[in-house]
Amino acid sequence: CSSDLLWLADSPTCILVMALTVPLWYGLCGSWRHRAILLGALALIIPAAVFFILHANPQAWGESGNPAEVAIGRLVSGMRNVGTSGQQGVNTRFANTTGAIEAVRENGWMRLGAGPAADVTYFAAERLPGSGQQAAGVNALWVAVLVDFGETGVSLLGVLLIVAAWRIRRFPETAAILLSLSVASLVN
């Protein structure tokens, strides 16, 4: 039932979150036997997924009438965009993320950030040169924390997420919710 809902969501982000959350959950909450099976499965799935992303035609998938295939095409296009640093495919979140990181570097905010809510105020006021359009914003929690609190804040966020995941591993149902929300907020 949940896989049907995943395809109905017609969202590459949902597919990516599910693909990351399920192995994380089994790695965190599963038994040692499940972890061994997970490692074996990942050893097969990851190279197959990389091969698929490198050789699939995202345009053909995107032009399909099937919503699941369209979502896969968008996901492949976005992954290629990240893998080629924006040279192939389309991924507006990646473009926004690289723009935000550039702004952090250019303004000297890398270590400690620009302060609370800087991501909201800075990008709302910033305009693209020549067009008058608003500059790219922030699409992921870690990028917002980077702009606001710099590398220090991102490090603290990482530590807090790891501690929360480790402490909640004894409650598998709650861990599934925590992991999926954490992964979703980090990629979207």
Side-chain angles (χ1 to χ4, degrees):
C1 178
S2 63
S3 64
D4 294 335
L5 295 175
L6 178 67
W7 295 120
L8 289 174
D10 188 24
S11 170
T13 303
C14 287
I15 295 169
L16 182 61
V17 167
M18 186 70 125
L20 294 173
T21 300
V22 170
L24 279 174
W25 185 85
Y26 274 105
L28 190 64
C29 298
S31 66
W32 286 107
R33 193 176 98 205
H34 287 126
R35 290 180 187 145
I37 293 169
L38 173 66
L39 286 175
L42 288 176
L44 296 172
I45 291 171
I46 291 173
V50 169
F51 181 82
F52 176 75
I53 290 168
L54 291 175
H55 293 84
N57 181 354
Q59 186 175 2
W61 284 84
E63 291 173 355
S64 167
N66 183 337
E69 290 179 7
V70 171
I72 290 171
R74 290 173 48 208
L75 181 62
V76 169
S77 178
M79 296 279 230
R80 278 213 188 140
N81 188 268
V82 171
T84 62
S85 297
Q87 301 300 314
Q88 295 178 1
V90 177
N91 189 335
T92 55
R93 286 181 180 92
F94 180 66
N96 286 349
T97 298
T98 56
I101 292 171
E102 280 179 31
V104 168
R105 283 189 182 132
E106 288 173 4
N107 291 301
W109 301 333
M110 195 55 86
R111 289 217 191 268
L112 296 173
D119 60 315
V120 177
T121 54
Y122 176 79
F123 290 108
E126 190 70 18
R127 301 284 175 203
L128 294 174
S131 70
Q133 292 180 338
Q134 185 175 334
V138 173
N139 294 97
L141 177 62
W142 73 270
V143 181
V145 171
L146 179 68
V147 173
D148 294 350
F149 305 107
E151 293 170 335
T152 305
V154 173
S155 298
L156 183 60
L157 174 67
V159 167
L160 291 173
L161 286 172
I162 290 168
V163 168
W166 185 254
R167 293 192 69 186
I168 205 151
R169 74 186 187 285
R170 288 178 241 116
F171 307 99
E173 295 84 8
T174 309
I177 295 168
L178 173 75
L179 289 173
S180 62
L181 292 176
S182 298
V183 170
S185 67
L186 293 174
V187 300
N188 191 22

